[in-house]
Amino acid sequence: MSYQNAHNDASTRPGMGATILIVEDEPAIATAIAQRLTSEGWRTEVARDGLSGVEAANRIKPDVVVLDVMLPGIDGLEVCRRIQAENPVPVLMLTARDDETDMLIGLGVGADDYMTKPFSMRELVARLKALLRRVDRAAQASNTSGADALITVGDVVIDRAQRRVHRGEEEIHLTPTEFELLVMLASSPKTVQTREHLLAEVWDWVDASGTRTVDSHIKALRRKLGADLIRTVHGVGYAFEPPAQ
Ligand code: CA
């Protein structure tokens, strides 16, 4: 098969041939995930502890990381921080309980999505496909050139081509999902966008069961960009409203 054919396959099936790093210390779970993801046409590598996970992420530059929270050595939170510090990559975090998910969201760890064990492999695959579509979309956005690439609202400048964000003189480093969410909000300033709408547009979710994932990323954006940019409309959603200059 020629390179051209391989490229066409990739464009008709988003995420086809992607590399997924699985960081999970329970062998049965790690093996089951790896087998399922391989059968979906993805390349997989398994790391069995936190430090190996960070090392593997730096070495293989995965398209997505599936990351268990409870790991020997350094835990998933620290792994997520170290991976994101080196190279922004989407992270889907596996948690043991719903309240653990809430705790992580509160901490704003920088994961793109969360799943609580036990989960179905079908659901995991669906979430990973959504993450990979986001990566594809981000790559397309970075082909945007010229004036279209720049969004300027107040003192916030978003460069979609370079995928860089500045507030005033300061450059703000965002994860891929935080960046997508900010672009969605800033593209329609002073407009309230519902959590369900943001979830559908940014995460490709069709149901509303993940709206707290939106909340966690809003928290992260506020922590990084300042608390005064995004207004909460209680019970509805969020609006991007920088203070008047
Ligand atoms: Ca574990």
Side-chain angles (χ1 to χ4, degrees):
M1 186 168 65
S2 73
Y3 173 81
Q4 188 59 47
N5 285 340
H7 179 80
N8 286 342
D9 287 349
S11 57
T12 52
R13 294 181 63 186
M16 189 66 190
T19 300
I20 301 181
L21 171 63
I22 301 154
V23 188
E24 167 63 79
D25 59 309
E26 291 167 65
I29 298 178
T31 302
I33 294 174
Q35 284 176 349
R36 179 59 189 263
L37 301 192
T38 303
S39 76
E40 293 290 329
W42 292 321
R43 284 188 291 271
T44 60
E45 173 148 337
V46 173
R48 293 286 164 80
D49 63 70
L51 283 175
S52 309
V54 174
E55 180 276 324
N58 292 336
R59 175 167 44 82
I60 67 175
K61 305 269 186 284
D63 297 291
V64 177
V65 179
V66 176
L67 176 58
D68 188 34
V69 172
M70 298 300 287
L71 293 166
I74 59 172
D75 67 12
L77 281 69
E78 183 60 22
V79 173
C80 189
R81 287 195 188 98
R82 292 194 194 182
I83 288 175
Q84 297 285 6
E86 288 295 324
N87 184 32
V89 56
V91 173
L92 187 154
M93 202 166 262
L94 304 177
T95 67
R97 304 179 311 271
D98 284 338
D99 61 346
E100 189 176 56
T101 301
D102 291 338
M103 184 269 289
L104 294 170
I105 287 172
L107 289 173
V109 190
D112 294 84
D113 205 351
Y114 299 87
M115 289 185 75
T116 304
K117 292 178 178 175
F119 52 83
S120 77
M121 286 293 167
R122 178 191 297 213
E123 168 108 29
L124 176 66
V125 167
R127 300 272 195 102
L128 288 171
K129 283 183 175 168
L131 264 175
L132 288 163
R133 275 197 297 273
R134 213 175 311 150
V135 172
D136 283 354
R137 210 162 53 207
Q140 284 162 17
S142 48
N143 291 330
T144 314
S145 60
D148 290 348
L150 281 187
I151 301 171
T152 305
V153 185
D155 60 352
V156 178
V157 179
I158 303 163
D159 185 333
R160 296 172 68 206
Q162 302 283 327
R163 293 187 73 74
R164 297 173 81 164
V165 178
H166 285 81
R167 180 159 197 198
E169 298 292 305
E170 187 189 356
E171 178 162 11
I172 314 288
H173 297 278
L174 301 179
T175 68
T177 301
E178 289 163 2
F179 184 88
E180 290 281 306
L181 179 60
L182 178 64
V183 167
M184 270 301 297
L185 289 165
S187 297
S188 306
K190 299 187 179 176
T191 304
V192 181
Q193 302 193 44
T194 66
R195 295 150 91 225
E196 290 78 9
H197 174 71
L198 292 167
L199 195 62
E201 290 295 321
V202 178
W203 281 266
D204 282 333
W205 278 48
V206 291
D207 66 85
S209 60
T211 47
R212 66 184 173 187
T213 300
V214 178
D215 299 341
S216 81
H217 285 80
I218 294 286
K219 276 183 191 156
L221 282 178
R222 284 177 170 149
R223 197 176 47 256
K224 292 180 176 181
L225 280 160
D228 57 339
L229 287 177
I230 300 169
R231 181 166 67 91
T232 301
V233 182
H234 285 290
V236 182
Y238 299 99
F240 190 79
E241 290 188 5
Q245 295 288 294

